[in-house]
Structure formats: C-alpha cells, structure tokens
Amino acid sequence: MPQRDTIQHLISLQDLDDATLSSILELSMDLKRVSVAPGLAGKSAGLLFFRRSLRTRTSFEAAVHQLGGHSINLNASSDFWELEAHEGAIMDGRAPEHIKDAAAVLSRYLDVLAIRPALEGRSWEADRKDEGILAWAANADVPVINMESALWHPLQALADLMTLREALGDLRERRLAITWTNSPTYASPAVVHSLVLAALRQGMHVRVAHPDGYELDDRVMASARALATERGAELEVTGDRNAAVDGAHVVYARSWQSLADYGNPTLAASHRARTKDWRVDEALLARGADARLMHAMPVRRNVEVSDEVLDGPRSLIYDQAENRLHSQKALLLKLLSR
Ligand code: CP
C-alpha cells in the first residue's frame, strides 16, 4: 500500500503541476480521436455523491467503463448515512460513521475514490474550508478526486481547458470573459474559481463581470492576482458585463450565489431580483471577437442564456459537456498509472 503522503489526489487543479496538466490535456485530445486499450481493466472506482449530478456522474461512470474498469455509485441520500468530517468529534449526533473510517475501509476495496461532498450552506467561512473532501484525502489510501466542493470543481476546469484549446488553439493572450448570470438556483462559485485559475495559468487574459454583492472568494482572487502577475496575464473584475465581453474570444456564462448572502436565502432572493437583466443574449455575445459561448450546465434557458445563443453556431456547450468524458478518462489513466 502506498504511503498516504505520496498519493496524488485531485482536490483542485493546482494539485497538478504544469507538465502533468499539459500531458492530461494532450491525452484528452487523443482519447477523443481514438479509443485506447482498457487501461483500467480489473480496477474499481467508487463514486460518492452527497449532492445531485447529471454530467459528472454519467461521464465519470462512462469513462471508467470505457477504460475497462468498474464503478460503484453511492448516493448519500439513499445508499449510506451521514458521515462525520471533524477530527476528534464526539460522535453522539446524527452521523454514525467518521469519514476517516469510511475512507480507510473503501480504500481496501477500490482503486480510486471520486467524491462530490455535501455543503452545509450556512456559512461561507465554514464551507470554504472544504473539510469533507480534505478529510477523505487525508484518510484514503487511494487517489481522491473532487467532483465539486464549495471552493473547486477541477473536473469541470479540465474539460473547460480542453474545450478552450479545441476552440482557440494556443491560449496565451486569448481573452476570456466570465459573466455572472441570474438564476433562481443556487450554485457555488467552485466552477468559476477553478476556471479563473486554470485560464490564467495558460496565460489567458481574464475578465470577470458580476453585480455588486457577488464577489468571488477573496483568498481565491488573491491567488488569481498573484498567478496573473507570475504568468504575464491580465485579470480584471468589473460590474460592467458589456465592457467585460468587448473583444472577448470566449464568453463563459455562469451563475453563482452571493457569498455575502450565503446562508440567508431571503436576502439572497431579494438581491437576485434586482439582477434579472444579467443574461447572455446575441447582443452581448456580438460585442466579442467572434466570441464562442461556454457554460458548465445545467443552464436555465432564457434566464441565464437565450435559446438563440445556446442553439446558435457559436455555442460550445455540448462539446464542453462531452469533453468531461475524455478529460476524465485521461485523468484516470494518469492517476492510476503512477
Ligand atoms: N457541470 C456539472 O458538474 O454538471 P453536474 O452538476 O450535472 O454534474
């Protein structure tokens, strides 16, 4: 059994060095063109969902199957019970089992664990610690893959980078506009946190547009500013989505919940009611430089993005969703061949 501190986990994309990230992206492109030998033959992946998913669950299971492996899917709502994340907890509450025990036991059966952890949804300061996914990584003897925590969605960022490369080729100095969109559904900023860092790392110029009160996590953005300086990239945050999209090569639409209103749905609903015009339509997209449209999905049609844009020739949303499959296959092959 490998030493725990030598196991390569994927909690955020920053866990992969530049060379590994590049080779995964190249392999992803290859796997989209040609099928490969079943590199996961005889291996088993455990997928644990504490929140619902359509794309992540399906693409991950399909990826394991197409590589000759077997996946076991467990939903927290129906297949097992609450798990305690805190080290040293006196477990007289609702959770009958600790993550450290579950992680150690599942590591005896499985070759990789992929987890979409629960969010408490009461305090951003608490949820941003990502204690659940970190507890799995600290206590597993196999690689742990984050399938979207409060802070990060590395699998989405991998597919996003692959899609950006397919659409634009070399990403250095290409312009990405990320615009907040109105939605009645709460989503974490994990997709955008991961995307901002991933794009800057490739040398892209990134503009983020959002209404007042929808600022991204301050510590993630501090890292993003440092990364932009290191990579010679530009990072701008603005309340003017028209200015953000001007000259952009890709417009990425995404709704995320206000971290200022986190845990206060009444206040959040009242703020959101004032931002209904934050949607992507043809007029906005036309401000870009022949801009393509990306969205991680699920997308609320004609609330976040108009039908015309989603169904139009510049929409990349289905390629982007498809690329989840190829990039996860590449990731699995890399992580499990170490
Ligand atoms: N983009 C994404 O992660 O989709 P699901 O929530 O459906 O998995």
Side-chain angles (χ1 to χ4, degrees), residues 4 8 12 25 68 70 76 94 101 104 107 136 138 151 185 240 248 250 265 268-269 275 310 319:
R4 278 190 183 156
Q8 171 77 73
S12 77
L25 290 172
H70 175 66
R94 292 194 335 193
D101 298 317
S107 297
W136 281 98
L151 268 187
T185 314
D240 181 345
V250 168
T275 56
L310 289 170
D319 293 323

Side-chain angles (χ1 to χ4, degrees), residues 235-251:
L235 172 62
E236 196 183 321
V237 180
T238 174
D240 181 345
R241 62 192 185 287
N242 288 333
V245 171
D246 279 344
H249 299 109
V250 168
V251 175

Side-chain angles (χ1 to χ4, degrees), residues 52-56 116 153 156 296-297 324:
R52 289 179 292 183
S53 161
L54 188 142
R55 275 147 293 277
T56 304
R116 178 169 281 189
H153 197 344
Q156 185 63 53
M297 303 177 84
R324 293 290 305 269

Side-chain angles (χ1 to χ4, degrees), residues 29 57 63 66 75-77 79-80 85 93 97 104 109 143 173 213 217 226 235 283 289 293 307 322 334:
M29 304 277 201
R57 176 178 169 177
Q66 289 176 21
N75 285 306
S77 57
D79 295 325
F80 59 103
E97 183 160 13
Y109 309 142
E173 298 188 2
D217 182 83
L235 172 62
L293 183 279
D307 275 346
E322 179 189 336
K334 288 283 178 192

Side-chain angles (χ1 to χ4, degrees), residues 298-319:
V299 58
R300 286 183 177 263
R301 284 174 171 264
N302 302 312
V303 177
E304 292 187 74
V305 186
S306 67
D307 275 346
E308 197 182 6
V309 169
L310 289 170
D311 298 330
R314 287 179 289 166
S315 171
L316 298 176
I317 61 169
Y318 299 141
D319 293 323

Side-chain angles (χ1 to χ4, degrees), residues 36-326:
V36 292
L40 295 194
K43 298 205 187 283
S44 298
L47 279 60
L48 276 72
F49 283 93
F50 293 81
R51 287 176 290 137
R52 289 179 292 183
S53 161
L54 188 142
R55 275 147 293 277
T56 304
R57 176 178 169 177
T58 313
S59 59
F60 208 102
E61 279 200 40
V64 173
H65 173 73
Q66 289 176 21
L67 291 171
H70 175 66
S71 60
I72 296 158
N73 189 70
L74 297 170
N75 285 306
S77 57
S78 55
D79 295 325
F80 59 103
W81 35 84
E82 271 190 51
L83 295 168
E84 175 63 54
H86 302 289
E87 188 68 33
I90 298 167
M91 290 178 50
D92 59 357
R94 292 194 335 193
E97 183 160 13
H98 200 288
I99 287 176
K100 73 191 294 180
D101 298 317
V105 169
L106 293 182
S107 297
R108 305 281 175 112
Y109 309 142
L110 302 165
D111 299 284
V112 61
L113 275 166
I115 293 158
R116 178 169 281 189
L119 302 180
E120 290 286 331
R122 287 197 285 271
S123 148
W124 177 247
E125 272 310 306
D127 277 354
R128 79 172 305 287
K129 292 181 185 156
D130 272 353
E131 281 181 337
I133 192 73
L134 292 173
W136 281 98
N139 293 288
D141 297 305
V142 296
V144 168
I145 297 174
N146 178 5
M147 296 197 294
E148 191 184 5
S149 62
L151 268 187
W152 309 116
H153 197 344
L155 298 180
Q156 185 63 53
L158 259 188
D160 290 348
L161 281 184
M162 179 181 174
T163 310
L164 286 164
R165 281 198 179 186
E166 277 180 337
L168 303 176
D170 185 3
L171 297 180
R172 183 154 292 282
E173 298 188 2
R174 305 291 264 175
R175 288 185 293 279
L176 171 67
I178 302 170
T179 178
W180 186 88
T181 50
N182 187 276
S183 167
T185 314
Y186 293 108
S188 88
V191 165
V192 174
H193 287 160
S194 293
L195 175 65
V196 168
L197 293 187
L200 290 170
R201 210 169 149 183
Q202 305 294 311
M204 292 191 86
H205 298 324
V206 178
R207 288 186 192 140
V208 183
H210 60 72
D212 270 353
Y214 290 85
E215 287 73 20
L216 294 165
D217 182 83
D218 53 357
R219 280 149 281 183
V220 170
M221 291 310 281
S223 302
R225 282 190 290 277
L227 185 59
T229 304
E230 180 195 311
R231 300 288 162 122
E234 293 168 9
L235 172 62
E236 196 183 321
V237 180
T238 174
D240 181 345
R241 62 192 185 287
N242 288 333
V245 171
D246 279 344
H249 299 109
V250 168
V251 175
Y252 197 115
R254 180 71 180 176
S255 185
W256 62 88
Q257 72 188 105
S258 163
L259 303 184
D261 302 341
Y262 202 84
N264 189 337
T266 310
L267 197 56
S270 126
H271 283 158
R272 220 174 38 236
R274 296 201 293 269
T275 56
K276 285 204 185 307
D277 53 339
W278 279 76
R279 83 198 246 277
V280 176
D281 57 17
E282 275 295 340
L284 182 63
L285 197 64
R287 300 182 75 103
D290 193 23
R292 308 300 187 86
L293 183 279
M294 290 175 65
H295 191 295
M297 303 177 84
V299 58
R300 286 183 177 263
R301 284 174 171 264
N302 302 312
V303 177
E304 292 187 74
V305 186
S306 67
D307 275 346
E308 197 182 6
V309 169
L310 289 170
D311 298 330
R314 287 179 289 166
S315 171
L316 298 176
I317 61 169
Y318 299 141
D319 293 323
Q320 187 182 355
E322 179 189 336
N323 287 341
R324 293 290 305 269
L325 173 69
H326 309 298

